[in-house]
Amino acid sequence: MLRRLTALALLCCCACGVMAQPATLYEVYAQALEADPTVKIAQHNVEMGKAQEDSVFGELLPQANVFAQLSENDSTYDSDLVEDQSYSGERLSLQVRQMLFDWSTLSRYAGARQQLAQRESELLDAMSMLLVDVSERYFQVLLADGGVELLRAEYKLVQQQLRETEALYERKLVRVTDYLETRARADQVRTDLIEAENQAALAREELSALTGNQIGDLAPIRKDFTLPVLENSMEYWTELAMANNSLLASRRDAVRVAQEGVQQQKAGHYPTFDLVFSAQRSDLGYDNQTSPQRDTQYVGVDMNLPLFAGGSTSARVRGAWSQYYIAREEEEGARREVLKLTRAAWLNTGSSRKRIDSATLTVESAGKSYEAMSKSFGYGTVKAADVLGALHVKTRAQRDFQEALYGYVVNWLRLKRESGSLQAGDLQQLNSWLMADKS
């Protein structure tokens, strides 16, 4: 998992250097990766998890403490048989303690390691989710821009048709209804174009929300790229998801963390053993009474066994078990969600591929139909409304093809993400499908 995180992060950091115009998906994702709060929070959580693991590991190592005391002492006695005294004193000590057995500390260390793995899984999930989100919004911008271009082309043809119809109407060769229908269609296309331009601007704002920067021109998909093939059955992809999905992995790690939490609370019933070495030099005795200077060394094993805590230890164990059961239910919920999303992504990818094949044929037939209608109008065998209808069908078919194409790519990416097989190479492959220069 760490290799996947490192490869994806390094790949995108390299993209942050020089930005090409127009921007590719690779570069937009690099910007989003640097700016996304969810990813940054996940990164900080990983760093915090590493710090917590190091902190608990430090408790497994020897603990050394030095104590020094310098004092001025006055002893006053009520008896006349003993003289009052004033004297200086010092007490120096060194203690080294090595834990031999402490089930609570051992359980906390195991839990800290599992929690670090959980947070790494959450970071990977956030990064892959961001890639899908950026890709979806990126292609939504391309789709919106494509819709604007199609409507502009349609409006240009409708205007041409309007001029031809107007000329024929002035010569009394077409009915007034043909002229009025053509003009109404021109007005409608102009209205649709205004709405499409607004939707394109809104799509860019959606993408800008992920990067924190204004989005300019984007590299479109190359016309000669080859669509990835949807291989293997639904069962294969669901099994892959059950084994590798990052969200599901984080929920499994959460269950293990909860298990260690139970063991940590159970440790309240177990004894602890510490190996202790102590050395002391002092010229003070009990109650800070003056005493000849002496050196004392001590090596021993300390044992501490809890006997009674009013039932609080058992209550904490019950609470830890409840947290464990909650984690198990959350894991089951995540498993079902991942299973649903993986199946949906597989079905949508296959459906999108069929839509592409169907839309390709529709675009071809709609183009031929429009050409035939245009020629027939010149011969006076069809009405202007028939030509405009064929043109609208052609535009709609081209729009449907773009939707199917971008939908296939996004669904393929979702399938890779849900199955846990999304790698840095997939981003490189996806980026290779884009043209760096639209000219």
Side-chain angles (χ1 to χ4, degrees):
M1 179 180 298
L2 284 174
R3 288 196 298 269
R4 294 169 64 187
L5 283 173
T6 303
L8 195 56
L10 289 178
L11 192 64
C12 293
C13 286
C14 294
C16 292
V18 179
M19 294 293 293
Q21 292 294 333
T24 64
L25 175 64
Y26 188 87
E27 294 161 341
V28 174
Y29 178 62
Q31 290 185 28
L33 200 60
E34 289 293 319
D36 186 67
T38 302
V39 172
K40 286 188 174 182
I41 291 172
Q43 289 172 339
H44 292 315
N45 280 333
V46 169
E47 293 301 320
M48 184 169 62
K50 291 178 180 178
Q52 290 173 344
E53 180 186 9
D54 293 340
S55 174
V56 180
F57 179 74
E59 298 181 26
L60 303 178
L61 302 178
Q63 309 294 309
N65 295 285
V66 174
F67 173 78
Q69 181 186 66
L70 300 176
S71 60
E72 294 292 333
N73 304 276
D74 294 312
S75 296
T76 303
Y77 301 94
D78 293 337
S79 174
D80 295 335
L81 301 177
V82 181
E83 295 182 357
D84 296 340
Q85 295 179 327
S86 296
Y87 53 89
S88 300
E90 66 177 25
R91 182 181 286 117
L92 306 174
S93 66
L94 167 68
Q95 185 183 79
V96 180
R97 180 181 293 269
Q98 173 60 57
M99 184 269 290
L100 298 178
F101 177 80
D102 186 338
W103 193 245
S104 175
T105 303
L106 294 172
S107 298
R108 283 195 298 116
Y109 179 62
R113 296 185 65 181
Q114 291 296 335
Q115 191 169 60
L116 176 59
Q118 176 189 356
R119 290 175 175 177
E120 288 175 347
S121 297
E122 290 172 349
L123 174 58
L124 181 60
D125 185 69
M127 292 173 68
S128 61
M129 188 65 226
L130 179 63
L131 176 55
V132 174
D133 200 4
V134 168
S135 300
E136 187 173 2
R137 299 190 191 192
Y138 184 99
F139 291 122
Q140 192 63 37
V141 171
L142 293 184
L143 181 62
D145 287 347
V148 171
E149 292 178 1
L150 289 174
L151 284 173
R152 284 175 178 170
E154 182 178 0
Y155 184 65
K156 182 178 180 181
L157 292 174
V158 171
Q159 286 289 95
Q160 179 181 344
Q161 182 68 35
L162 178 60
R163 288 192 296 269
E164 294 177 0
T165 305
E166 186 176 9
L168 293 173
Y169 173 68
E170 291 176 353
R171 294 161 54 189
K172 308 299 182 181
L173 296 178
V174 296
R175 294 175 298 180
V176 66
T177 54
D178 289 335
Y179 170 70
L180 294 177
E181 286 177 352
T182 305
R183 190 170 66 179
R185 181 58 191 164
D187 294 338
Q188 181 61 51
V189 173
R190 184 171 63 250
T191 302
D192 293 342
L193 179 58
I194 294 172
E195 177 60 23
E197 290 173 342
N198 181 59
Q199 291 300 318
L202 292 175
R204 273 182 164 74
E205 291 301 320
E206 289 289 333
L207 186 56
S208 297
L210 296 179
T211 64
N213 299 315
Q214 290 298 315
I215 299 298
D217 292 334
L218 299 180
I221 284 186
R222 302 169 62 93
K223 295 181 180 179
D224 59 345
F225 92 102
T226 302
L227 284 173
V229 179
L230 178 60
E231 299 177 339
N232 301 310
S233 63
M234 180 188 294
E235 289 71 21
Y236 168 83
W237 288 100
T238 53
E239 290 177 4
L240 198 63
M242 292 299 100
N244 299 318
N245 182 271
S246 53
L247 175 62
L248 193 54
S250 70
R251 293 296 180 264
R252 292 194 185 105
D253 290 329
V255 171
R256 298 187 185 101
V257 171
Q259 286 177 323
E260 296 301 334
V262 172
Q263 296 301 317
Q264 179 184 343
Q265 299 305 325
K266 282 185 176 181
H269 296 299
Y270 305 151
T272 61
F273 296 90
D274 295 307
L275 177 64
V276 181
F277 168 77
S278 177
Q280 179 175 278
R281 167 173 291 183
S282 177
D283 58 3
L284 296 173
Y286 174 74
D287 203 20
N288 269 22
Q289 294 298 313
T290 183
S291 173
Q293 182 170 296
R294 65 197 181 280
D295 294 329
T296 305
Q297 289 83 34
Y298 163 78
V299 177
V301 175
D302 288 358
M303 189 273 285
N304 181 33
L305 176 62
L307 295 179
F308 180 72
S312 60
T313 301
S314 297
R316 286 194 294 269
V317 171
R318 293 197 308 273
W321 275 116
S322 297
Q323 187 62 45
Y324 168 76
Y325 294 135
I326 291 173
R328 286 287 302 271
E329 295 301 326
E330 289 176 344
E331 179 194 7
E332 176 61 19
R335 188 191 70 82
R336 296 180 185 182
E337 182 69 14
V338 169
L339 197 61
K340 180 192 74 173
L341 293 176
T342 303
R343 289 173 174 171
W346 188 88
L347 291 171
N348 289 333
T349 304
S351 174
S352 296
R353 180 64 202 215
K354 294 177 181 178
R355 284 185 60 197
I356 290 175
D357 296 337
S358 177
T360 301
L361 297 176
T362 304
V363 168
E364 183 179 355
S365 60
K368 292 180 179 179
S369 175
Y370 171 69
E371 291 177 1
M373 285 292 182
S374 297
K375 292 180 180 179
S376 298
F377 179 77
Y379 298 138
T381 57
V382 298
K383 298 186 298 182
D386 298 326
V387 179
L388 298 176
L391 177 59
H392 180 68
V393 170
K394 176 186 174 183
T395 302
R396 182 69 260 180
Q398 292 172 328
R399 171 77 175 186
D400 290 343
F401 174 79
Q402 292 179 352
E403 286 183 353
L405 179 63
Y406 297 143
Y408 181 87
V409 175
V410 171
N411 286 315
W412 173 79
L413 202 58
R414 285 175 179 165
L415 182 60
K416 297 281 288 184
R417 170 191 137 71
E418 295 301 333
S419 64
S421 59
L422 187 61
Q423 303 284 348
D426 296 318
L427 178 58
Q428 291 177 312
Q429 179 184 4
L430 196 58
N431 200 69
S432 68
W433 299 340
L434 304 174
M435 291 187 292
D437 189 352
K438 290 191 290 186
S439 63

